[in-house]
Amino acid sequence: SGASGKVLTPPRQRSPARPLSAKTEPGSPKRPSSAASRRKYMQECDQRSIVPDPLAFNTGHSEKLLAVCRGLQDDELLSIAATLCEKTQVEEINLRDNTRLSDKGLAPFLREFATIGHLCEGLRGINLTNCKSAGPRSLDVLLELTCSATHLRSLDVSGMHISTKFQLGFCKAIGEHPTLESVGLARTGLGCTCITLSCLTNLLSSTSNKRLDLSWNVFNQKEFQNFGEMIVLNNRLEHLLIDNCAGYVVGQDTPVSELIERLAHDSSLRSLSVCTNRIDFRAALVIEDSLEGHGKLSRLYLKNNPLGVLGLRSILRLICRPTSRLSRLDIEGCYNGTPTEESLPDGDVSTQVFSFTNPSGKYKLDLSIPYHRSLCRMLYERTDDFNLSPDKAFVSLSYSKPPYSHPAKDSNDQYQVLREGILSFTFNLESAIDIKWSKIADDDYVGFLNEHLSMMRTSPHMAKITPLLANWKAIDGMEMEQKTFLSALAADFNMKVPYLDYMVKASKGASSEALFRLLPSIPRDGNSPFLAMTLFPRLQDFFLTSLRMQDFLNFNPSNPTGHYKLALENSTAFAVAQQLLLLDRWESVVNLRNERADTSQRGNKSQIRNGFHQGRSLHLLVHTLTEWAVPEVGEFECDYSTCYRPKKGCKPLSDALWENMMMGIYSSPCRQEDRLKVLRSISHHFFVSAMHIRQMIGYFRNPLDREEACIMFWPRVVDQYNGKIFRVRFEKQEDVIRLQERLGHATFFPFIQPENARFSLNFAINDQRLCGCMFVQLMLKEKIGNIKDPVYIRPDGTVMDLVVGIPRSWAEPKTVPTGGTFSGRYICAPEDRNFDFRRKLAVTYGYSSQDPTSNDVMWWTGLTEPPEDVLDLLEFFISRYNDVDEAFAKIDGSADASTGNGEITLREFEAGIKTIGCNKFKGPDEQARLNNIFRYLDPGGEGSISLSEWRVLGQLWNEFDLTIREFVQFLIIAFGEDLQDAWESLDDDGSGALSESEWFEAVNNIGYFGPARVVFALLDSSDDGDISYNEFQVLENYKGKQKSTT
């Protein structure tokens, strides 16, 4: 290659020869035999009737026989051989690719060199590559020549089949030769024989050889072991080529790993070629482990190996290590190679793949396998990175050949891992995480991720960024190789915007792909992601790429609560999965630091719930998620429920600001799912109140969207003790069950207001078992019998007799049954409430930091909790009384017309209903309906209703009133202050009245998704089934005052 970078082609050998009579130029060396050799050559050609070949060697103008790919035949070579006696010196023989030469011509030709002493002494190089027709006579003479040519420096017989008879002799001759520096034995048939070990031992006993090419031979595991050991002992070899030498054994790793592992103790190699050796991610990890401290190796050729993303990650980490001299790679054709269940021991992909970013997990290592030994060493090196004792990182450790002691480092700073036995353990870095980042605030999730990824991922050393980017430029135009290169970088590397800028410019055709895959590796510092986005060459590239990385762009690590469904082949989705597991482990550390109770789904201290990989529940694969390394294939689905709760003193947004935000959401032309994405992206910047959540829920048509909005802001609600205000808006039991499953039964537990809570708990699941325990504790603290209709079905399907009551032992989490289902309903009279104990439960299991009093709580009852008759009675009261206390006073004492005593008996209640003129219950079942109402208002079963019990109707009244006010507020947002405009839109046919079905259809069309039945029941004061405009005007009384924007 010239200075301009162009390839310079050497001149053809068949150039016109000088005339034989031409004089030698002044100053040139004399060749006294040139004329004689020319005459001799011409005579031989005449005798053999062949055309003379004007090679410079034949004409006497060169001491090197350079006849590469000349198509020489035996007679032509014999003609040349006849002239050798006239030669004073021959420096080099190069008969490469002359496949027609056989023993007839080659053996006599080589014999001339072996018998003519001065020619033998002057010979410096022999190249017989691909002289395939050479037989045993040629090999015999060549062996003799190799031994006698004491100044020989280069010998290449690649492509010549060397029979077993001559292999050991050749190897001994090469090993004992004093001056040989380059040996080529590719495709010669070495390997897998009884003498192979001796051949390799002799080859590598040479004290002069610096380059050895053994490519396209076949060696087994034991031979590679010996090979590696001899290279280390030799310590002179600088260039080694062993392409396509790995013998294939079904179900086993490539045996070349044995050689590579031993190169950790070598200090002489400068280049290594292991192309086409079935090197996958396992052998690549061995390469990373063994060569990271090599002081001289600068070139590594890996062409046509199934590295895949996993394998290339190891190679790129190696090239970026400051202790490595590696700078040049050849990775063409290395894009294939995804780990499968069949490719790994025990058929388990997740437990045996090493993740540099997240190495924690459960491992079972066969230490007789190089990959497992390297993996074990890498884990020990990670403990060094964290200054963590191996005893703390390697837990639940067992060894098949005890005793086991942790390995020490040798002189090369490599751990001396045992080479036999099965080692099983769980690798855990949580204690190190707690120590390393103890100064990070518990709620600084982004700060933790940045610090953790900065520590756990590879940051290219400043001296190594140039070779890294140079190798990226070298594969420009190789689409599959580039995708693999980018995926490897995205998985393990911390990148910077300038690096991405160079990569985009160096390969314009892969610019969008580079940004797509590497954006997750940019630190979340506020500026870098934005600057990286500006690198897209065109706006349409940005738009199309953003569609592919929705999972990453929508992920908010400061508020990760939500549902995730991630295709792990997508590198951005994989990054989200990795960060979710990191946050989960961080929150485990935070909970341990704050001595919080374990409210996880499986009792494994995890915030991840309902985890599935490829449709298979994760709890069937691993007990704890610390044992699970995220695979890079398949679909990962889970719910994340953070343990974060607002600190004491946090203030929610002002009502006016929240209403402005909701108006913007309502009037936006975006899709509902896009509105949710926007809310998620900003959700961590502010706190909200329970009333805000209730208002927001009404702006979403789809029940699943309302559910998503509620879950998204759940950790941001400052007054969860008032959470029943918005819980009651989820009227269907299936909606409540989904919330419980996604947030967690313990997280969703109604700590402060458990009244009328219905439950059906699976005691096989930790958090549901904990909820059953809390209900029993509440009952014991407040009043025996508060759990109504209890049913416990054992795991075998039999029903437990609870006639004598629920076992008191269930108040202790450890003594609750670990199977079966427990269902019932919790009630409590106001006078029986133990508010302090409820608050204690909220702190212990709900992680609440608030300290509310009973007066701070907005005691509430949902419209779906009481029987329908209770609601009918309440509708009657609302239309006639100012509050429920006034109605109580009217009924109290009605039976005997005496002064009320503050309690209402059943007799008084029946008489009072008649006295106030309520005819809603007229009919043959009037008595039963009134009894039903009375039992609801007398939850304690004392036979009388106290004023505090009666005020449950006041809670329902508040729900009625708030529902109607919310509806009016919605109409004002949608149509303005004049409600007549709203009426005209609702009554689109201009009939002047709306039936119940017309009402439901009309409010749905205008985008109101709240409890429309309640509003209709209030407005239909005439009970005729229609609403007139006059009745609609009642809503004027429910207009709220304008709130201050301060």
Side-chain angles (χ1 to χ4, degrees), residues 431-683:
S431 58
I433 292 174
D434 191 19
I435 297 172
K436 201 78 175 179
W437 296 295
S438 57
K439 296 181 180 179
I440 299 177
D442 293 352
D443 57 353
D444 187 6
Y445 294 164
V446 172
F448 162 73
L449 282 178
N450 285 337
E451 288 290 333
H452 183 91
L453 295 176
S454 175
M455 177 67 185
M456 299 296 289
R457 293 164 69 99
T458 300
S459 296
H461 191 269
M462 287 301 296
K464 307 295 289 188
I465 192 62
T466 299
L468 177 67
L469 297 180
N471 281 286
W472 163 254
K473 188 173 183 179
I475 58 173
D476 184 25
M478 303 179 189
E479 181 180 357
M480 297 305 298
E481 286 82 353
Q482 286 182 321
K483 286 184 178 180
T484 307
F485 193 99
L486 293 171
S487 296
L489 283 179
D492 280 338
F493 286 78
N494 293 312
M495 301 297 287
K496 296 181 180 179
V497 176
Y499 304 164
L500 267 64
D501 186 27
Y502 176 85
M503 295 178 72
V504 167
K505 294 176 180 177
S507 182
K508 296 185 182 299
S511 58
S512 295
E513 192 70 20
L515 292 170
F516 161 67
R517 295 182 183 272
L518 296 183
L519 271 172
S521 63
I522 298 295
R524 291 178 177 268
D525 56 8
N527 298 324
S528 295
F530 172 77
L531 292 174
M533 289 287 191
T534 64
L535 298 177
F536 282 98
R538 299 176 301 172
L539 183 60
Q540 71 182 71
D541 295 331
F542 167 74
F543 174 74
L544 294 174
T545 304
S546 65
L547 294 179
R548 298 171 59 196
M549 51 193 307
Q550 285 295 301
D551 291 322
F552 177 76
L553 295 177
N554 295 329
F555 178 56
N556 184 350
S558 294
N559 183 18
T561 298
H563 183 75
Y564 298 89
K565 192 172 185 179
L566 306 169
L568 298 177
E569 292 85 357
N570 183 316
S571 59
T572 59
F574 177 79
V576 173
Q578 273 193 322
Q579 293 181 27
L580 278 175
L581 260 69
L582 290 175
L583 288 177
D584 177 50
R585 292 174 186 179
W586 167 246
E587 295 206 66
S588 297
V589 171
V590 170
N591 289 338
L592 184 64
R593 181 188 299 171
N594 293 289
E595 299 180 347
R596 291 172 176 168
D598 180 12
T599 61
S600 61
Q601 184 179 30
R602 301 292 174 183
N604 54 10
K605 302 179 182 179
S606 174
Q607 309 306 126
I608 293 179
R609 304 177 51 79
N610 312 315
F612 291 88
H613 180 251
Q614 290 294 74
R616 187 180 181 188
S617 180
L618 288 182
H619 85 274
L620 299 176
L621 299 175
V622 291
H623 174 64
T624 63
L625 287 178
T626 57
E627 302 173 2
W628 190 61
V630 185
E632 297 184 31
V633 292
E635 182 180 79
F636 174 49
E637 184 173 5
C638 72
D639 291 293
Y640 193 95
S641 179
T642 180
C643 65
Y644 173 79
R645 300 293 182 268
K647 296 178 181 178
K648 188 174 182 179
C650 291
K651 301 295 183 182
L653 285 182
S654 67
D655 293 342
L657 201 56
W658 179 257
E659 288 175 7
N660 288 339
M661 186 185 299
M662 290 301 101
M663 288 180 67
I665 291 291
Y666 174 77
S667 60
S668 169
C670 297
R671 299 173 300 174
Q672 293 276 38
E673 60 189 82
D674 294 324
R675 299 176 189 180
L676 286 170
K677 291 175 183 177
V678 171
L679 286 174
R680 175 173 293 282
S681 68
I682 63 172
S683 60

Side-chain angles (χ1 to χ4, degrees), residues 272-481:
L272 175 64
S273 180
V274 285
C275 303
T276 323
N277 268 309
R278 297 186 300 105
I279 294 177
D280 59 6
F281 71 98
R282 294 170 292 187
L285 187 73
V286 178
I287 292 175
E288 178 187 9
D289 171 50
S290 302
L291 303 182
E292 64 172 310
H294 202 290
K296 292 185 179 179
L297 189 70
S298 61
R299 291 175 175 256
L300 182 61
Y301 301 94
L302 293 162
K303 187 175 180 179
N304 296 327
N305 281 299
L307 291 176
V309 175
L310 273 177
L312 194 55
R313 283 164 59 177
S314 293
I315 303 303
L316 294 184
R317 287 197 300 265
L318 174 62
I319 201 174
C320 289
R321 291 181 185 270
T323 56
S324 169
R325 293 289 302 275
L326 195 62
S327 61
R328 181 70 174 92
L329 298 174
D330 182 358
I331 56 172
E332 182 181 353
C334 295
Y335 49 84
N336 289 320
T338 301
T340 61
E341 293 186 5
E342 291 77 15
S343 71
L344 295 173
D346 300 330
D348 190 351
V349 175
S350 62
T351 58
Q352 300 300 319
V353 175
F354 175 73
S355 171
F356 187 83
T357 304
N358 192 6
S360 296
K362 189 175 182 179
Y363 295 88
K364 184 178 181 181
L365 305 181
D366 182 351
L367 297 181
S368 65
I369 300 175
Y371 169 62
H372 284 191
R373 292 196 293 270
S374 291
L375 197 156
C376 188
R377 280 191 288 267
M378 296 291 283
L379 293 176
Y380 275 104
E381 288 175 8
R382 296 309 275 162
T383 62
D384 292 343
D385 295 337
F386 283 89
N387 296 320
L388 184 64
S389 167
D391 292 328
K392 293 183 178 179
F394 292 80
V395 297
S396 305
L397 189 147
S398 65
Y399 181 52
S400 62
K401 297 183 177 181
Y404 178 82
S405 58
H406 294 294
K409 288 186 176 181
D410 58 18
S411 58
N412 291 306
D413 203 33
Q414 187 181 49
Y415 279 99
Q416 296 176 303
V417 175
L418 296 176
R419 306 183 69 85
E420 60 180 357
I422 306 297
L423 183 65
S424 301
F425 56 89
T426 297
F427 189 71
N428 194 330
L429 292 176
E430 286 187 9
S431 58
I433 292 174
D434 191 19
I435 297 172
K436 201 78 175 179
W437 296 295
S438 57
K439 296 181 180 179
I440 299 177
D442 293 352
D443 57 353
D444 187 6
Y445 294 164
V446 172
F448 162 73
L449 282 178
N450 285 337
E451 288 290 333
H452 183 91
L453 295 176
S454 175
M455 177 67 185
M456 299 296 289
R457 293 164 69 99
T458 300
S459 296
H461 191 269
M462 287 301 296
K464 307 295 289 188
I465 192 62
T466 299
L468 177 67
L469 297 180
N471 281 286
W472 163 254
K473 188 173 183 179
I475 58 173
D476 184 25
M478 303 179 189
E479 181 180 357
M480 297 305 298
E481 286 82 353

